[in-house]
Amino acid sequence: MADEKILQDERSLQDSNSFGSENNVEHGEHTLHRGLKARQISMIALGGAVGTGLIIGSGTALQRGGPLGLLLGYSVMGLTCWCVMVGLGEMAAFLPHKNGFAGYGSRFVDPALGFALGWNYLLKYLITTPNNINAAGVVIQYWNDSINIAVWMVVFIVFIFLVNMLGVRVFGELEFWFSSIKVVALVGLILMGIIIDLGGNPKHDRIGFRYWDPPYGPMGSYLKSQVHNGHLATFLGFWATLTNALFAYIGTELVGVTVGEAENPRKTIPKAIRQTFFRILVFYVGGVFVIGLVVPSTDNSLFLATKSKTGAAASPFVVATTLAGIKVLNHVINAVILIFTLSAANSDLYIGSRTLYGLAIEGKAPKIFRKVNRMGVPYPSLILCTIFCGLVFLNVASGGAKVFTWGVALVSTFGAITWMCLAFSHIRFMRALEAQGISRHTLPYKAPFQPYASWFALIFTGIVIFFKGFDGFLPWTPATFITSYIGIPIVFLLWLGYKIYYRTRMIPSEKVDLVTGVRSFTEEYPEEKVNKDVGRLRRIWDNI
């Protein structure tokens, strides 16, 4: 009977996950299409998560932490991000299901964790989508502020909704080109910074490491007037770069959500995960290093920009061109920032709708959200996520920069909790493999430096999220405190409520289901090896 059930599960999964099918039907309903091609997955992984956190937010980090603090902060958080991503890649390649991140928490840890993780990730995207639309509206106002910003917000919301309604193939193709433009633009900005630094500017001024030396200094200071201690202010400046970098890296994990619509996830996902290291090293670390070379952390224009704007004026790259005496280029950079924000909003709406769909598939959200049209679009989920874009109209009452700051604090909290849950799910996944006698060498993708990398990501992210709102106490600022920490009790109550209501417990490692839904490895491994590994899994599952 157990063998028959396993075979039925495998047939059901094979029917529902058929690669390339345009009319997939699951339990009599349409389901998501596997329409994302390898090149689209790779490009989305390469440039999909690069957004305002780097090209705009790095200016605030430079002002607070100095060039060295900025470089160290983005490097440390980049390492943390990479540790999360490799663990996610191992799970996603092994089990490329359509249930989103919640499925890994439910499967390898506890259904209560899956419920909390799924809704936490959904809340993140219900906030970050309007936050990016808000940023796009402010970017437009850099050119023309005579038109009410609400008009642009409506235009952008309609645009990203229509793109997502056209199906995953249209979305994937548009994001491929958006991400391509972002990659080319970032490379161009980094090269521009290097050229300016070496003297290739209208002033013919070779800057070198001038802004790392006195009177500027390699490290900045933050809240010095409040703490009255120079060394502590220097440390707080560095710590502030960590929280800023956390926001910049949040979203990198979105490639893990695309596995449900990837044509060949066991090949494309590991490839995309491996590219994460180079993206972090070149774009993020390389980008902030160049920024620290060409913009002094004490420059008044940088301070004023980061306080009042979220468009091109807030970008350290624009400050660099202004200091170097380069004209017109600020408009080009503003156009690039507009593409960044629209691309981010478009992918955010996609991820939010797929996360809600995955929760509904698992029975952790109302059944209506599991409905999918013939083009593979979960339209009830998409409509609900689009409705939440109305939060962007808070900007009409409050300043754009203030709303953007609130959104950054909320998004980074929900994103950090997601990282912690993913790292813990991967630790439990590895323990289940060990307890059931399955070698990680047989997996389609084996994450390096484990389990140390996942433990590091879990602990360090926890420390960062615990202290991320420290500036809300110096002085006491209720808005800063609430937006920095409100996500923690929300997720805790989601986890606790589900656990009490359904009386769930953490799944013992030897009882974690490593069979149901795991497709044959024939695409990557010889048939005799497949038979041996799958047979071992079946025997273990029969004895539980």
Coordinates of all heavy atoms in Angstrom, one line a residue, residues 84-147:
V84 N 22.5 32.3 3.0 CA 21.1 32.0 2.9 C 20.7 31.4 1.6 O 20.0 30.4 1.4 CB 20.2 33.2 3.2 CG1 18.7 32.9 2.9 CG2 20.4 33.7 4.6
M85 N 21.3 32.0 0.5 CA 21.0 31.6 -0.8 C 21.4 30.2 -1.2 O 20.7 29.4 -1.9 CB 21.6 32.6 -1.8 CG 20.9 33.9 -1.8 SD 19.2 33.8 -2.3 CE 19.3 33.3 -4.0
V86 N 22.6 29.8 -0.7 CA 23.1 28.4 -1.1 C 22.2 27.4 -0.4 O 22.0 26.3 -1.0 CB 24.6 28.3 -0.7 CG1 25.5 29.2 -1.6 CG2 24.9 28.5 0.7
G87 N 21.8 27.7 0.9 CA 20.9 26.7 1.5 C 19.6 26.6 0.9 O 19.0 25.5 0.7
L88 N 19.1 27.8 0.4 CA 17.8 27.8 -0.3 C 17.9 27.0 -1.6 O 17.0 26.3 -2.0 CB 17.4 29.2 -0.6 CG 16.2 29.4 -1.5 CD1 14.9 28.8 -0.9 CD2 15.9 30.9 -1.7
G89 N 19.1 27.2 -2.3 CA 19.3 26.5 -3.5 C 19.3 25.0 -3.4 O 18.8 24.3 -4.3
E90 N 19.9 24.5 -2.3 CA 19.9 23.1 -2.1 C 18.5 22.5 -1.9 O 18.1 21.5 -2.5 CB 20.8 22.8 -0.8 CG 20.9 21.3 -0.6 CD 22.0 21.0 0.5 OE1 23.2 21.2 0.2 OE2 21.6 20.5 1.6
M91 N 17.7 23.2 -1.1 CA 16.3 22.8 -0.9 C 15.5 22.9 -2.2 O 14.7 22.0 -2.5 CB 15.6 23.6 0.2 CG 16.2 23.3 1.6 SD 15.3 24.2 2.9 CE 15.5 25.9 2.5
A92 N 15.6 24.0 -2.9 CA 14.8 24.3 -4.1 C 15.1 23.3 -5.2 O 14.3 22.9 -6.0 CB 15.0 25.7 -4.6
A93 N 16.4 22.9 -5.4 CA 16.8 22.0 -6.4 C 16.3 20.6 -6.1 O 15.9 19.8 -6.9 CB 18.3 22.0 -6.6
F94 N 16.3 20.2 -4.8 CA 15.8 18.9 -4.3 C 14.2 18.8 -4.5 O 13.7 17.8 -4.9 CB 16.2 18.7 -2.9 CG 15.7 17.4 -2.3 CD1 16.3 16.2 -2.6 CD2 14.6 17.4 -1.5 CE1 15.8 15.0 -2.1 CE2 14.1 16.2 -0.9 CZ 14.7 15.0 -1.3
L95 N 13.6 19.9 -4.1 CA 12.1 19.9 -4.1 C 11.6 21.2 -4.8 O 11.2 22.2 -4.1 CB 11.6 19.8 -2.6 CG 10.0 19.7 -2.5 CD1 9.6 18.4 -3.0 CD2 9.7 19.8 -1.0
P96 N 11.6 21.2 -6.1 CA 11.1 22.4 -6.8 C 9.6 22.5 -6.9 O 9.0 22.4 -8.0 CB 11.8 22.2 -8.2 CG 11.8 20.7 -8.4 CD 12.0 20.2 -7.0
H97 N 8.9 22.7 -5.8 CA 7.5 22.7 -5.8 C 7.0 24.2 -6.0 O 7.8 25.1 -6.1 CB 6.9 22.2 -4.5 CG 7.4 22.9 -3.2 ND1 7.2 24.2 -3.1 CD2 8.0 22.5 -2.1 CE1 7.7 24.6 -1.9 NE2 8.2 23.6 -1.3
K98 N 5.6 24.3 -6.0 CA 5.0 25.6 -6.3 C 4.4 26.2 -5.1 O 3.6 27.1 -5.2 CB 3.9 25.4 -7.4 CG 4.4 24.8 -8.7 CD 3.3 24.5 -9.7 CE 3.8 23.9 -10.9 NZ 2.8 23.7 -12.0
N99 N 4.8 25.7 -3.9 CA 4.2 26.2 -2.7 C 4.9 27.4 -2.0 O 4.6 27.8 -0.9 CB 4.1 25.0 -1.6 CG 3.2 23.9 -2.1 OD1 2.7 24.0 -3.2 ND2 3.1 22.9 -1.3
G100 N 6.0 27.8 -2.7 CA 6.7 29.0 -2.1 C 7.6 28.6 -0.9 O 7.8 27.4 -0.6
F101 N 8.1 29.6 -0.2 CA 9.0 29.3 0.9 C 8.3 28.6 2.1 O 8.9 27.9 2.8 CB 9.6 30.6 1.4 CG 10.5 31.3 0.5 CD1 10.6 32.6 0.4 CD2 11.3 30.5 -0.4 CE1 11.5 33.2 -0.5 CE2 12.1 31.1 -1.3 CZ 12.2 32.5 -1.4
A102 N 7.0 28.9 2.2 CA 6.2 28.3 3.3 C 6.3 26.7 3.2 O 6.2 26.1 4.2 CB 4.7 28.7 3.2
G103 N 6.3 26.2 2.0 CA 6.4 24.8 1.8 C 7.6 24.1 2.5 O 7.5 23.0 3.0
Y104 N 8.8 24.8 2.5 CA 10.0 24.3 3.1 C 9.8 24.3 4.6 O 10.3 23.3 5.3 CB 11.2 25.1 2.6 CG 11.4 25.0 1.1 CD1 11.5 26.2 0.4 CD2 11.5 23.8 0.5 CE1 11.6 26.2 -1.0 CE2 11.7 23.8 -0.9 CZ 11.7 24.9 -1.6 OH 11.9 24.9 -3.0
G105 N 9.3 25.4 5.1 CA 9.1 25.4 6.6 C 8.1 24.3 7.1 O 8.3 23.7 8.1
S106 N 7.0 24.2 6.3 CA 6.0 23.1 6.7 C 6.6 21.7 6.6 O 6.3 20.9 7.4 CB 4.8 23.3 5.8 OG 4.2 24.6 6.0
R107 N 7.3 21.5 5.6 CA 7.8 20.2 5.2 C 9.0 19.7 6.1 O 9.0 18.6 6.6 CB 8.3 20.2 3.8 CG 8.8 18.8 3.2 CD 7.6 18.1 2.6 NE 8.2 16.9 1.9 CZ 8.0 16.7 0.6 NH1 7.3 17.6 -0.2 NH2 8.4 15.6 0.0
F108 N 9.9 20.6 6.4 CA 11.1 20.2 7.1 C 11.2 20.6 8.5 O 12.0 20.1 9.3 CB 12.3 20.8 6.4 CG 12.4 20.4 4.9 CD1 12.7 21.4 4.0 CD2 12.2 19.2 4.5 CE1 12.8 21.1 2.6 CE2 12.3 18.8 3.1 CZ 12.6 19.8 2.2
V109 N 10.3 21.5 9.0 CA 10.3 22.0 10.4 C 9.0 21.7 11.1 O 8.9 20.8 11.9 CB 10.7 23.5 10.5 CG1 10.9 23.9 11.9 CG2 11.9 23.8 9.7
D110 N 8.0 22.5 10.8 CA 6.7 22.5 11.5 C 5.7 23.2 10.6 O 6.0 24.3 10.1 CB 6.9 23.1 12.9 CG 5.6 23.1 13.7 OD1 4.6 22.7 13.2 OD2 5.7 23.6 14.9
P111 N 4.5 22.7 10.5 CA 3.5 23.4 9.7 C 3.2 24.8 10.2 O 2.9 25.8 9.5 CB 2.2 22.6 9.8 CG 2.8 21.2 10.0 CD 4.0 21.4 10.8
A112 N 3.4 25.0 11.5 CA 3.2 26.4 12.1 C 4.3 27.3 11.6 O 4.0 28.5 11.3 CB 3.3 26.3 13.6
L113 N 5.5 26.9 11.4 CA 6.6 27.7 10.9 C 6.3 28.0 9.4 O 6.5 29.2 9.0 CB 7.9 27.1 11.0 CG 9.1 27.9 10.5 CD1 9.4 29.1 11.5 CD2 10.4 27.1 10.3
G114 N 5.8 27.1 8.7 CA 5.5 27.3 7.3 C 4.4 28.3 7.2 O 4.4 29.2 6.3
F115 N 3.4 28.3 8.1 CA 2.3 29.3 8.0 C 2.8 30.7 8.3 O 2.5 31.6 7.6 CB 1.2 28.9 9.1 CG 0.1 29.8 9.2 CD1 -0.9 29.8 8.3 CD2 0.1 30.8 10.3 CE1 -2.0 30.7 8.5 CE2 -0.9 31.7 10.4 CZ -2.0 31.7 9.5
A116 N 3.6 30.8 9.4 CA 4.2 32.1 9.8 C 5.1 32.6 8.7 O 5.1 33.8 8.4 CB 4.9 32.0 11.1
L117 N 6.0 31.7 8.1 CA 6.9 32.2 7.1 C 6.2 32.7 5.9 O 6.5 33.7 5.3 CB 7.9 31.0 6.8 CG 8.8 31.2 5.5 CD1 9.7 32.4 5.7 CD2 9.7 30.0 5.3
G118 N 5.2 31.9 5.4 CA 4.4 32.3 4.2 C 3.7 33.6 4.4 O 3.8 34.5 3.5
W119 N 3.1 33.8 5.5 CA 2.4 35.1 5.7 C 3.3 36.2 5.9 O 3.1 37.4 5.6 CB 1.3 35.0 6.8 CG 0.1 34.3 6.4 CD1 -0.3 33.0 6.5 CD2 -1.0 34.9 5.6 NE1 -1.5 32.7 5.9 CE2 -1.9 33.9 5.4 CE3 -1.2 36.2 5.2 CZ2 -3.1 34.2 4.7 CZ3 -2.4 36.5 4.5 CH2 -3.3 35.5 4.2
N120 N 4.5 35.9 6.6 CA 5.5 37.0 6.8 C 6.0 37.4 5.4 O 6.2 38.6 5.2 CB 6.6 36.4 7.6 CG 7.9 37.2 7.6 OD1 8.0 38.3 8.2 ND2 8.9 36.8 6.8
Y121 N 6.3 36.5 4.5 CA 6.8 36.8 3.2 C 5.8 37.6 2.4 O 6.1 38.5 1.6 CB 7.3 35.6 2.5 CG 8.3 35.8 1.4 CD1 9.5 36.4 1.8 CD2 8.1 35.5 0.1 CE1 10.5 36.6 0.8 CE2 9.0 35.8 -0.9 CZ 10.2 36.3 -0.5 OH 11.2 36.6 -1.5
L122 N 4.5 37.2 2.5 CA 3.4 37.9 1.8 C 3.3 39.3 2.3 O 3.2 40.3 1.5 CB 2.1 37.2 2.0 CG 0.9 37.8 1.4 CD1 1.0 38.0 -0.1 CD2 -0.4 37.1 1.8
L123 N 3.4 39.5 3.7 CA 3.3 40.9 4.2 C 4.4 41.7 3.7 O 4.2 42.9 3.4 CB 3.3 40.8 5.7 CG 2.1 40.3 6.4 CD1 2.3 40.1 7.9 CD2 0.9 41.2 6.2
K124 N 5.6 41.1 3.6 CA 6.8 41.9 3.0 C 6.4 42.4 1.7 O 6.7 43.6 1.4 CB 8.0 41.0 3.0 CG 9.2 41.5 2.2 CD 10.3 40.5 2.1 CE 11.5 41.0 1.3 NZ 11.2 41.2 -0.1
Y125 N 5.9 41.6 0.8 CA 5.6 42.1 -0.6 C 4.3 42.9 -0.7 O 4.2 43.7 -1.6 CB 5.6 40.9 -1.5 CG 7.0 40.5 -1.9 CD1 7.6 39.4 -1.2 CD2 7.7 41.2 -2.8 CE1 8.9 39.1 -1.5 CE2 9.0 40.8 -3.1 CZ 9.6 39.8 -2.4 OH 10.9 39.4 -2.7
L126 N 3.4 42.8 0.3 CA 2.3 43.7 0.3 C 2.7 45.1 0.6 O 2.1 46.1 0.3 CB 1.2 43.3 1.3 CG 0.5 42.0 1.0 CD1 -0.5 41.6 2.1 CD2 -0.2 42.1 -0.4
I127 N 3.9 45.3 1.3 CA 4.4 46.6 1.7 C 5.5 47.1 0.7 O 5.5 48.2 0.3 CB 5.1 46.5 3.1 CG1 4.0 46.2 4.1 CG2 5.8 47.8 3.4 CD1 4.5 45.9 5.5
T128 N 6.3 46.2 0.2 CA 7.4 46.6 -0.6 C 7.0 47.0 -2.0 O 7.6 47.9 -2.7 CB 8.5 45.5 -0.7 OG1 9.7 46.1 -1.3 CG2 8.1 44.3 -1.6
T129 N 5.9 46.4 -2.5 CA 5.4 46.8 -3.9 C 4.9 48.3 -3.9 O 5.4 49.0 -4.7 CB 4.2 45.9 -4.3 OG1 4.6 44.5 -4.2 CG2 3.8 46.2 -5.7
P130 N 4.0 48.7 -3.0 CA 3.7 50.1 -3.0 C 4.9 51.0 -2.6 O 5.0 52.2 -3.1 CB 2.6 50.2 -1.9 CG 2.7 49.0 -1.1 CD 3.2 48.0 -2.0
N131 N 5.8 50.5 -1.8 CA 7.0 51.3 -1.5 C 7.8 51.6 -2.7 O 8.3 52.7 -2.9 CB 7.8 50.5 -0.5 CG 8.8 51.4 0.3 OD1 8.5 52.5 0.7 ND2 10.1 51.0 0.3
N132 N 8.0 50.6 -3.6 CA 8.7 50.9 -4.9 C 8.0 51.8 -5.8 O 8.6 52.5 -6.6 CB 9.1 49.5 -5.5 CG 10.3 48.9 -4.9 OD1 11.4 49.6 -4.8 ND2 10.2 47.7 -4.5
I133 N 6.6 51.6 -5.8 CA 5.8 52.5 -6.7 C 5.9 54.0 -6.2 O 6.0 54.9 -6.9 CB 4.3 52.1 -6.6 CG1 4.2 50.7 -7.3 CG2 3.4 53.1 -7.3 CD1 2.8 50.1 -7.2
N134 N 6.0 54.1 -4.8 CA 6.2 55.4 -4.3 C 7.5 56.0 -4.7 O 7.6 57.2 -5.1 CB 6.1 55.3 -2.7 CG 6.6 56.6 -2.0 OD1 6.1 57.6 -2.2 ND2 7.7 56.4 -1.2
A135 N 8.6 55.2 -4.7 CA 9.9 55.6 -5.1 C 9.9 56.0 -6.6 O 10.5 57.1 -7.0 CB 10.9 54.5 -4.9
A136 N 9.2 55.3 -7.4 CA 9.1 55.6 -8.8 C 8.4 56.9 -9.1 O 8.8 57.7 -9.9 CB 8.3 54.5 -9.6
G137 N 7.3 57.2 -8.3 CA 6.6 58.5 -8.4 C 7.5 59.6 -8.0 O 7.5 60.7 -8.7
V138 N 8.3 59.5 -7.0 CA 9.2 60.6 -6.6 C 10.3 60.8 -7.6 O 10.8 61.9 -7.9 CB 9.8 60.3 -5.2 CG1 10.8 61.4 -4.8 CG2 8.7 60.2 -4.2
V139 N 10.8 59.7 -8.3 CA 11.8 59.7 -9.3 C 11.2 60.6 -10.5 O 11.9 61.4 -11.1 CB 12.2 58.3 -9.8 CG1 13.0 58.4 -11.1 CG2 13.0 57.6 -8.8
I140 N 10.0 60.4 -10.9 CA 9.3 61.2 -11.9 C 9.3 62.6 -11.6 O 9.5 63.5 -12.4 CB 7.9 60.6 -12.2 CG1 8.0 59.3 -12.9 CG2 7.1 61.6 -13.0 CD1 8.4 59.4 -14.4
Q141 N 9.0 62.9 -10.3 CA 9.0 64.3 -9.9 C 10.3 65.0 -9.9 O 10.3 66.3 -9.9 CB 8.4 64.4 -8.4 CG 6.9 64.1 -8.4 CD 6.3 64.5 -7.0 OE1 6.9 64.3 -6.0 NE2 5.2 65.2 -7.1
Y142 N 11.4 64.3 -10.1 CA 12.7 64.9 -10.3 C 12.7 65.7 -11.5 O 13.4 66.8 -11.6 CB 13.8 63.8 -10.3 CG 15.2 64.4 -10.5 CD1 15.9 64.9 -9.4 CD2 15.8 64.3 -11.7 CE1 17.2 65.3 -9.5 CE2 17.1 64.8 -11.8 CZ 17.8 65.3 -10.7 OH 19.1 65.8 -10.9
W143 N 11.9 65.3 -12.5 CA 11.8 66.0 -13.8 C 10.7 67.0 -13.8 O 10.8 68.1 -14.4 CB 11.6 65.0 -15.0 CG 12.8 64.2 -15.3 CD1 14.1 64.7 -15.5 CD2 12.9 62.8 -15.5 NE1 15.0 63.6 -15.8 CE2 14.2 62.5 -15.8 CE3 11.9 61.8 -15.4 CZ2 14.6 61.1 -16.0 CZ3 12.4 60.5 -15.7 CH2 13.7 60.2 -16.0
N144 N 9.5 66.6 -13.3 CA 8.3 67.4 -13.4 C 7.5 67.2 -12.2 O 6.9 66.1 -12.0 CB 7.6 67.1 -14.7 CG 6.4 68.0 -14.9 OD1 6.0 68.8 -14.0 ND2 5.8 67.9 -16.1
D145 N 7.4 68.2 -11.3 CA 6.5 68.1 -10.1 C 5.2 68.8 -10.3 O 4.5 69.0 -9.3 CB 7.3 68.6 -8.9 CG 7.7 70.0 -9.0 OD1 7.4 70.7 -10.0 OD2 8.4 70.5 -8.1
S146 N 4.9 69.3 -11.5 CA 3.6 70.0 -11.7 C 2.4 69.1 -11.7 O 1.3 69.4 -11.4 CB 3.7 70.8 -13.0 OG 3.8 69.9 -14.1
I147 N 2.7 67.8 -12.1 CA 1.6 66.8 -12.1 C 1.6 66.1 -10.7 O 2.6 65.7 -10.2 CB 1.8 65.8 -13.2 CG1 1.9 66.5 -14.6 CG2 0.8 64.7 -13.2 CD1 2.2 65.5 -15.7

